Amino acid sequence: MTTILLDGDIVAYQFASAAEKETYWGDGLWTLHSQEQDTIPPMEDFLDGLKDKLKADRLIVALTDGVNWRKDVLPSYKSNRAEKRKPIILPVVRQHLLDNYETFLRPTLEGDDVLGILMTSRKLVPGDKVLVSIDKDMKTIPGSHYHMREGRHFEVSPAYAQYCHFFQTLTGDQTDGYSGCPGIGPKKAEGILENFTNHEAGTFDAKAAWAQIVKVYEKAKLGPDEALTQARVARICHASDYDFKEKKVKLWCPPS
């Protein structure tokens, strides 16, 4: 049995956005409208086709809660999106997913976290799983992946998932509103982390890499606390990062 773990936030946004139409009524009047019949059926066809393409028996849709735990760690997290207009029919599309599909939406968790927890838990979703998204952050989650825009499969090893988490810690993510280390772009981050990567063995020395990351932050006149803050918001939750009894995130700690 194969289960698709789907990034529902991206699917809902893409179909809601594609359905918007501009209309000019004359005399300088423009309106923007969407129709449900132009949005819901194409999305359902896409989801059915996805199950057929990936030969999946089960589809789980992950969605984001209205409260975000990362804002307690970094209050400015995603504040850059506050004024950005969302597709007008997006709430309807999300509700359709909630009403008609197996969905996971949990308090304070982003959809990415839900995907990461389900992907790394053997108990919650047994059997074969494939994570379906277009989000680069998903490379921090080990397992089988399918990029739905590019139509390709790829595997993420535990070592590479750690590498990608530390890469995001160094570079930040302007889309999500966390800065990483000043002056560290992708090329510099790759150069720093390459020293701790053994490609032949498929391993990554996370302990030594973290010590170097702290030094890089200190060189930028930022302390280890800032490095830790950036690492925590960059961390997409694994099952080990979630307290199922208390229903809350266990903040990431450096390897010891």
Side-chain angles (χ1 to χ4, degrees):
M1 177 174 174
T2 298
T3 300
I4 291 173
L5 302 178
L6 179 68
D7 189 334
D9 293 328
I10 286 178
V11 169
Y13 193 97
Q14 287 184 334
F15 278 91
S17 180
E20 292 190 336
K21 293 180 173 59
E22 300 171 348
T23 301
Y24 178 59
W25 299 91
D27 295 327
L29 175 63
W30 288 84
T31 61
L32 190 68
H33 73 274
S34 294
Q35 291 186 303
E36 291 181 31
Q37 59 265 34
D38 294 335
T39 310
I40 303 300
M43 182 177 68
E44 291 181 330
D45 289 344
F46 170 78
L47 297 181
D48 289 341
L50 193 62
K51 286 184 69 177
D52 290 340
K53 182 180 295 184
L54 300 181
K55 297 179 173 58
D57 309 287
R58 185 181 181 190
L59 171 68
I60 297 176
V61 181
L63 294 169
T64 293
D65 186 46
V67 177
N68 194 321
W69 68 269
R70 286 179 176 83
K71 289 186 177 293
D72 291 334
V73 179
L74 184 67
S76 62
Y77 181 75
K78 287 191 175 179
S79 60
N80 55 329
R81 299 189 185 185
E83 302 302 321
K84 186 176 180 180
R85 186 187 69 81
K86 296 178 181 178
I88 52 179
I89 204 172
L90 182 58
V92 175
V93 177
R94 278 175 53 91
Q95 192 60 49
H96 182 83
L97 290 172
L98 286 165
D99 292 342
N100 295 276
Y101 292 86
E102 182 179 2
T103 56
F104 268 71
L105 189 159
R106 296 296 183 268
T108 78
L109 296 182
E110 292 190 62
D112 290 357
D113 297 313
V114 173
L115 291 170
I117 291 169
L118 295 178
M119 193 70 179
T120 55
S121 170
R122 294 181 179 179
K123 293 182 179 179
L124 290 175
V125 183
D128 294 332
K129 294 172 278 193
V130 56
L131 194 160
V132 178
S133 181
I134 61 173
D135 193 338
K136 67 181 186 305
D137 294 345
M138 293 297 96
K139 291 180 181 178
T140 64
I141 303 299
S144 177
H145 292 247
Y146 180 77
H147 195 292
M148 59 184 167
R149 179 179 293 164
E150 298 175 358
R152 62 181 176 90
H153 290 268
F154 61 96
E155 291 287 329
V156 174
S157 68
Y160 186 62
Q162 283 187 315
Y163 171 98
C164 289
H165 173 220
F166 283 5
F167 181 88
Q168 292 285 91
T169 299
L170 286 166
T171 63
D173 190 329
Q174 297 304 317
T175 301
D176 286 340
Y178 66 96
S179 61
C181 185
I184 303 297
K187 288 296 183 184
K188 286 187 178 180
E190 288 173 3
I192 293 166
L193 298 178
E194 181 66 23
N195 298 321
F196 309 99
T197 305
N198 186 323
H199 296 286
E200 283 190 18
T203 59
F204 178 69
D205 189 344
K207 183 178 179 180
W210 178 254
Q212 184 61 34
I213 286 173
V214 170
K215 291 179 182 178
V216 171
Y217 270 83
E218 288 175 340
K219 187 176 180 180
K221 303 191 183 312
L222 297 170
D225 288 347
E226 182 60 27
L228 183 57
T229 294
Q230 296 294 313
R232 283 176 167 172
V233 296
R235 173 76 170 185
I236 304 301
C237 290
H238 296 199
S240 59
D241 300 317
Y242 191 68
D243 186 325
F244 290 91
K245 184 177 180 180
E246 297 294 330
K247 293 182 171 51
K248 61 189 296 186
V249 172
K250 296 185 286 186
L251 295 180
W252 181 85
C253 291
S256 60

